[in-house]
Amino acid sequence: MRKIPTHERTYDRLSEMILFGQLAPGQAVTIQGLVQDLGVGMTPVREAIRRLTAEGALVPQGNRRVSLPRLTAPALDEIAFARLALEPEIARRAVAGLSPDRITALEAADRALDAAILAGDVSGYLRGNHDFHFTLYEAAGAEVLLALVRTLWLRFGPSLRVVCARYGAGGLPDRHRESLATMRAGDADALAAAIRADIEQGVAEMRAALAAGDLDP
């Protein structure tokens, strides 16, 4: 098994902090604070910040601080456009690579997501939703598309965490049973349509929260 370099582990861990709510939109954190939280040296933290800044997931604030950008309506429109262009297509391509073992893993991820929704577990919802989508997308073998989609989720995820925290996980999108049925049938077009509907539902929830001012500080 390949040993994962420290800088890659640091990038992955900081990405998870962004995706799953340990950092909030607008929250400024110090580089030294991240060094302590992540338990690694200054160099891998700086490299992770550099990469995430280039991807638009972090914004430099000066004084050795960075923050997560706040989601605006124009930014949401762009993210929604890109997600709807890329994710149904990567899902369509994934059908050919869906082994029985991968479908079993997707079913397990869906059960975990259902349990999180039932329990009102926001963190569990976010992780379960992420696991389901990326377990599916990785089956496509489309590394360029997958990298672009990961970047979009880094921009979308922190504000989704805010919406989840305010409204709970019960009303959030979960079209995964429909998606699983299309996977079992090997229907690529129907899977693409189900993923599109899932994204559209989540974007609608976010637009409503923005309009209501629920993403304001």
Side-chain angles (χ1 to χ4, degrees):
M1 180 180 294
R2 182 178 78 93
K3 183 178 180 180
I4 300 175
T6 300
H7 69 90
E8 287 188 28
R9 293 200 311 272
T10 303
Y11 171 83
D12 289 343
R13 289 174 63 194
L14 186 51
S15 296
E16 288 186 357
M17 291 173 70
I18 293 169
L19 280 167
F20 304 133
Q22 289 176 261
L23 300 175
Q27 176 188 354
V29 293
T30 65
I31 295 174
Q32 186 59 47
L34 290 174
V35 167
Q36 293 174 355
D37 290 343
L38 296 169
V40 295
M42 185 72 75
T43 298
V45 170
R46 286 186 181 277
E47 172 62 15
I49 288 172
R50 184 194 65 77
R51 288 176 62 183
L52 287 162
T53 299
E55 292 169 347
L58 289 173
V59 178
Q61 294 294 317
N63 297 321
R64 297 186 177 183
R65 293 175 179 268
V66 292
S67 69
L68 272 65
R70 297 187 188 280
L71 187 66
T72 63
L76 177 58
D77 287 344
E78 291 186 42
I79 292 168
F81 175 85
R83 288 192 64 193
L84 289 166
L86 295 174
E87 291 181 53
E89 176 58 24
I90 198 171
R92 187 194 313 276
R93 296 185 182 200
V95 168
L98 286 176
S99 65
D101 285 348
R102 190 174 291 266
I103 291 177
T104 297
L106 284 158
E107 289 169 339
D110 186 51
R111 288 193 297 272
L113 180 60
D114 288 342
I117 290 173
L118 187 63
D121 177 1
V122 170
S123 179
Y125 170 85
L126 292 169
R127 288 184 177 275
N129 189 53
H130 183 275
D131 288 349
F132 183 91
H133 280 267
F134 282 90
T135 299
L136 170 62
Y137 298 162
E138 286 165 3
E143 293 303 318
V144 173
L145 295 180
L146 187 63
L148 292 170
V149 170
R150 288 189 193 281
T151 298
L152 293 169
W153 277 60
L154 283 167
R155 289 174 177 251
F156 189 83
S159 295
L160 178 61
R161 174 69 176 81
V162 174
V163 172
C164 288
R166 295 204 178 182
Y167 295 107
L172 290 165
D174 178 15
R175 306 293 292 267
H176 298 163
R177 290 185 183 178
E178 179 183 344
S179 298
L180 282 165
T182 66
M183 293 177 214
R184 296 186 195 102
D187 190 333
D189 289 339
L191 176 57
I195 293 297
R196 170 175 287 276
D198 187 65
I199 296 167
E200 288 174 338
Q201 185 178 345
V203 169
E205 295 278 351
M206 197 71 74
R207 284 199 175 109
L210 274 169
D214 289 335
L215 296 183
D216 293 339

